[in-house]
Structure formats: C-alpha cells, structure tokens
Amino acid sequence: MKNVRGDRLWSLMAFFYEQFFKRFPPYRKLLQEIVENVGASPSSPDFLLDAGCGPGLLSLELARRGHKVLGIDRSPQMLKRAQRKKQMEKLDNLSFLERDLNLGLSGQEYSFHKILFVHSLYLLDDPGKTLQKVASNLIEGGEILMCNPCRRLTLGELWGGGWSFLNEALNEDGFLSVFFFLAIALAVGSLHFVIQYRKKRVYHCWDEKEIEELLKTNGFRLKWLHKSCLGSSHHLLCAVKER
C-alpha cells in the first residue's frame, strides 16, 4: 500500500523541484558536473538508469548527449513533467517508468552500465537494501554516481545553505533574480524539512566513512568523492561495482 501522505508531499514538490534544479546556480553546477563525469556517449551507447529522476532534467540532458536512459520515479506528477519534456524533444533513447525504488527492479528486466542516485538514495526506507537490489541490474565494472547529504537538515543548515545560495545567485544572475529564487528556495527547504521529520528514518545521511562502508558492503569500491551543493552539505561520489 502506498504512503498517501508521502505521495502528496512529492507531488507538491514537482513544480518546485523543476524550478530549483533548472534555475539555481549551485544545482545547475551539480547537474553539469554529473553530466561531465558520465562522459560522452560511446559509439555503442551505454544504458543509464536515473534512479529517482524527478522531473527528468538530468535524464533529458544525458539523452541529448546520446546515452540510452531510463528514468524511474514513484511520483506521477514528477513523471508527467518528465514525459512532457521528452515528447517535446522527441528523444527515442529516453524512457520513464513509474516505480518505487524501495521495491527495486526485476532481476532480468534491465542491465545498466551506470546508475545515478542524485538526491534519491537517502530518502529510501532502507538505502542499503535498495542499493543492493538496484545494483543487481548493474554490469560488473559498471559505475554508480551519487549525491547524498553528509549531515542532517537543520534550521542552521537551511540558513547556511540559503546564505550560500544568495551569494551565488547574486553573482551569477543579479539582484532581481533573488526575489524569484528565494520563494522557491524557502518552499523546497520547508518541504524537505517536513519530509525529514515525517517519520524518524525517512531522511538518511552519511559521513565519508559511513558511505564508503555502505558501498563496500554492497560490492562497490569508492572511486572518488568530494563535497558538493549548498554549503558543501552533500557528498558527490562515484563507485565501481566489483561483485
């Protein structure tokens, strides 16, 4: 049975998420860095999974670059926005699927070269179990790219992140942009705060040692890791599947 309250929260997030990732300087930089780390599509395109694709901005950019991409998300409202963009650009190498990541994918249904968990793994009920399930669809030697928080969301964290955002927005887009961005930033931050405290274990975070142990336990070797996002509050990392 689906968590109706959770579904409503994520449906409410659909509009704000799209604006947040499309317009905010720190997140534009994050998406660009992820795209660059995925690399150009080889002559025989890799099959990529965007796990928790939201409104599809990352999936879309990777498909534009020639990759074959499957984006999955549990929110119908997120996927409606993603499908609309796909249809406008007529990208045959991009598809979306409504699926709860907690349930994983069937073992023989898909085989991926890379899997991306961008702001998604830490929101799952049991991240280790889900990582193990989804990783079974990753080829040996394949890679996962993740962006996850390294500390819990607090009022102080929201303040620090907001100040960092304002500085970047002012430098890149000018004073007037702040009024538009600030309303969306407050909405996204508030909704995340609600989601985090909706139940005790809905919002996970890991320090460097903990995330490396989580990866190792599930058959991955950490390739690289560094801080990212507002106030260096997240880890951006790449890991290789060894078994």
Side-chain angles (χ1 to χ4, degrees):
M1 182 177 178
K2 288 186 175 182
N3 187 317
V4 176
R5 187 181 175 191
D7 288 347
R8 286 175 180 170
L9 280 172
W10 285 112
S11 294
L12 186 59
M13 289 285 269
F15 168 76
F16 295 114
Y17 246 54
E18 181 158 16
Q19 299 303 316
F20 202 66
F21 282 99
K22 185 186 295 183
R23 298 175 182 272
F24 281 25
Y27 285 91
R28 290 204 305 260
K29 290 178 182 177
L30 171 64
L31 294 184
Q32 185 60 36
E33 185 173 6
I34 292 168
V35 168
E36 289 173 357
N37 276 289
V38 169
S41 176
S43 55
S44 177
D46 288 345
F47 191 16
L48 311 183
L49 172 64
D50 187 2
C53 64
L57 297 174
L58 178 58
S59 298
L60 198 76
E61 184 58 34
L62 292 169
R64 289 189 191 114
R65 293 173 178 244
H67 294 284
K68 182 181 179 183
V69 184
L70 172 65
I72 63 174
D73 203 281
R74 66 176 290 179
S75 167
Q77 295 303 319
M78 293 279 194
L79 291 176
K80 281 180 182 178
R81 291 178 175 273
Q83 289 281 11
R84 191 180 305 127
K85 289 191 284 289
K86 173 202 166 179
Q87 290 167 3
M88 287 177 63
E89 297 201 29
K90 300 179 180 178
L91 292 166
D92 295 333
N93 57 329
L94 174 61
S95 56
F96 294 103
L97 179 66
E98 185 179 341
R99 186 73 59 91
D100 188 338
L101 280 174
N102 290 301
L103 303 178
L105 296 167
S106 60
Q108 302 300 319
E109 190 176 3
Y110 299 101
S111 181
F112 301 103
H113 296 80
K114 289 184 174 71
I115 296 177
L116 292 82
F117 286 98
V118 180
H119 296 144
S120 57
L121 187 68
Y122 65 91
L123 289 165
L124 302 177
D125 295 333
D126 188 337
K129 186 176 180 180
T130 301
L131 179 59
Q132 188 176 47
K133 284 181 179 179
V134 176
S136 66
N137 298 94
L138 183 67
I139 64 170
E140 187 173 344
E143 295 181 345
I144 56 172
L145 276 82
M146 296 187 191
C147 188
N148 297 296
C150 54
R151 51 186 185 262
R152 286 184 67 81
L153 183 64
T154 63
L155 290 175
E157 191 73 43
L158 285 174
W159 172 260
W163 183 252
S164 174
F165 149 70
L166 285 174
N167 282 330
E168 291 202 47
L170 283 169
N171 289 335
E172 292 200 15
D173 296 311
F175 180 76
L176 291 177
S177 66
V178 170
F179 293 101
F180 173 75
F181 289 158
L182 189 59
I184 297 174
L186 286 171
V188 171
S190 300
L191 285 169
H192 260 299
F193 208 75
V194 171
I195 290 168
Q196 173 175 295
Y197 291 102
R198 182 164 55 89
K199 56 182 182 179
K200 291 181 180 178
R201 298 189 62 189
V202 75
Y203 197 97
H204 305 265
C205 57
W206 304 277
D207 61 26
E208 187 170 341
K209 185 177 180 181
E210 289 169 336
I211 194 68
E212 189 169 4
E213 183 60 31
L214 176 67
L215 292 165
K216 184 178 178 181
T217 301
N218 289 284
F220 288 92
R221 171 180 54 84
L222 183 63
K223 186 175 179 181
W224 53 260
L225 176 150
H226 61 259
K227 295 289 181 65
S228 180
C229 295
L230 292 174
S232 298
S233 59
H234 288 58
H235 285 138
L236 178 62
L237 65 88
C238 177
V240 180
K241 182 178 180 180
E242 294 189 319
R243 65 176 190 274

